[in-house]
Amino acid sequence: MQVFKDIDSIQDFIKQQKQDGRKIGLVPTMGALHNGHLSLVKKSLAETDVTIASIFVNPIQFNNPSDLEKYPRTLENDRALLESIGCHSIFHPEPSIIYPNPPQLKFDFGDLDKILEGQFRPGHFSGVGIVVAKLLNIIQPHVAYFGQKDYQQFLIIRRLVNDLNFPVRLVCSEIVREPSGLAMSSRNQRLSPEERKAASALFRALQLARENLAKKDWVEIKNEVETTLIQIGLRLEYLELADRKSLAVVQKYNGDVPLILLIAGYVGQIRLIDNLFV
Ligand code: AMP
């Protein structure tokens, strides 16, 4: 497996692969890989001929400097994991390669980047949009793989790709969970064993909310969930029911259109997100 650190060398590699008629799959990640990331890589390996995993902790999508500083970086382990499942190559550039000049460009995705994650992480989705646009332009994959875990991010990327006519097919892949139900996340590495146990309450809250949707008023469900989470020591940032296509928040459940439940909360210092289709 080859590790490319600069743009010219990965582009030479891809040019050769395309000349040989191979289909390219890209899995963008920030490293500290777990089985969620690996499920995307496996999907790409099954559906394309050459899979590239990018590992880049994108500074401009962090709205909290300490979160960026403490973000786990485990390159050697990531490399071994990717190699063990047969990934073909890694693109692992330094920040100065991706941002030779301080980035001035900003994206505005309308309503989609002001709600939910966007409300609590201003500027986050602009940073995500810029790095994904750069990766898609550098690699020019046929297919790019993303996780449902970051569902709002997937919708943002879909809008970016549609609005700017990027010639790529996008895949949104289901959430991989720990046996406790906790959605796998690189940030889970920073949880203590007790916090990790408590964190699984986020998924249980989503399940409980979904079970109660047809029985109780949505406001009542939200209040109950919040009280339960506080008792476990979690701080709820949001729990919302939203339209699955637009992410417009819904105040009343009616079984007509596909919906999604989205949750964000703090376990100690660590902010976690999760979601569940309704
Ligand atoms: P990240 O490294 O956190 O930027 O994630 C890279 C990609 O992996 C994103 O498309 C995420 O949505 C996806 N991902 C993260 N966690 C999971 C998970 N538990 N299951 C499936 N995909 C995931």
Side-chain angles (χ1 to χ4, degrees):
M1 186 180 59
Q2 284 170 287
V3 180
F4 298 98
K5 293 186 75 79
D6 64 80
I7 294 174
D8 286 349
S9 61
I10 190 134
Q11 285 186 331
D12 285 348
F13 170 75
I14 290 160
K15 194 169 164 199
Q16 187 61 55
Q17 300 303 321
K18 285 191 174 172
Q19 271 169 8
D20 294 345
R22 299 201 179 96
K23 190 169 161 187
I24 312 288
L26 171 66
V27 182
T29 82
M30 298 207 297
L33 301 183
H34 49 67
N35 283 335
H37 297 115
L38 298 186
S39 74
L40 302 183
V41 174
K42 284 179 189 162
K43 204 165 247 184
S44 173
L45 286 169
E47 295 176 359
T48 68
D49 303 310
V50 179
T51 294
I52 298 160
S54 64
I55 298 180
F56 179 65
V57 182
N58 177 33
I60 67 165
Q61 74 182 68
F62 285 80
N63 50 321
N64 174 346
S66 127
D67 191 26
L68 170 61
E69 191 198 321
K70 293 192 177 131
Y71 200 84
R73 290 158 171 91
T74 58
L75 184 65
E76 274 323 301
N77 192 49
D78 293 350
R79 190 189 166 127
L81 285 173
L82 289 170
E83 185 132 47
S84 74
I85 61 168
C87 183
H88 301 96
S89 68
I90 298 178
F91 180 47
H92 177 57
E94 291 295 323
S96 61
I97 299 285
I98 298 295
Y99 302 113
N101 303 303
Q104 300 294 329
L105 182 68
K106 296 266 186 288
F107 277 128
D108 186 332
F109 295 95
D111 290 347
L112 203 48
D113 68 13
K114 316 285 183 299
I115 52 170
L116 301 162
E117 286 301 283
Q119 188 188 337
F120 291 93
R121 304 186 69 188
H124 169 67
F125 285 124
S126 175
V128 168
I130 289 164
V131 80
V132 171
K134 278 174 170 276
L135 290 170
L136 292 177
N137 276 332
I138 292 168
I139 312 277
Q140 302 196 6
H142 297 90
V143 194
Y145 295 84
F146 298 90
Q148 185 201 317
K149 162 87 186 341
D150 300 277
Y151 187 72
Q152 189 174 6
Q153 167 174 287
F154 179 74
L155 293 189
I156 294 263
I157 291 165
R158 195 164 68 184
R159 185 166 292 177
L160 174 84
V161 160
N162 288 341
D163 286 0
L164 294 178
N165 303 87
F166 279 90
V168 64
R169 185 167 77 82
L170 299 179
V171 172
C172 183
S173 193
E174 65 276 11
I175 302 176
V176 177
R177 300 179 178 281
E178 306 275 358
S180 68
L182 173 64
M184 289 194 181
S185 162
S186 304
R187 288 187 172 84
N188 293 354
Q189 291 189 15
R190 294 177 53 206
L191 298 170
S192 70
E194 298 77 49
E195 287 173 334
R196 191 177 270 255
K197 240 186 190 168
S200 63
L202 285 179
F203 179 55
R204 284 201 304 281
L206 288 173
Q207 287 178 307
L208 190 70
R210 186 169 69 178
E211 277 165 28
N212 283 321
L213 275 178
K215 300 179 211 152
K216 292 183 187 175
D217 184 53
W218 174 236
V219 179
E220 199 185 328
I221 296 173
K222 258 181 37 165
N223 288 339
E224 278 178 16
V225 165
E226 182 151 25
T227 312
T228 313
L229 292 180
I230 289 171
Q231 281 163 359
I232 299 170
L234 271 71
R235 181 159 67 79
L236 181 66
E237 206 161 57
Y238 64 76
L239 169 65
E240 298 291 357
L241 181 62
D243 183 289
R244 209 186 291 174
K245 266 198 191 144
S246 66
L247 278 194
V249 165
V250 168
Q251 298 300 349
K252 239 193 174 102
Y253 170 72
N254 92 28
D256 287 356
V257 287
L259 297 174
I260 181 169
L261 285 158
L262 305 112
I263 197 165
Y266 278 88
V267 183
Q269 299 298 309
I270 313 299
R271 187 176 184 280
L272 298 174
I273 59 171
D274 200 351
N275 66 72
L276 191 64
F277 287 164
V278 175

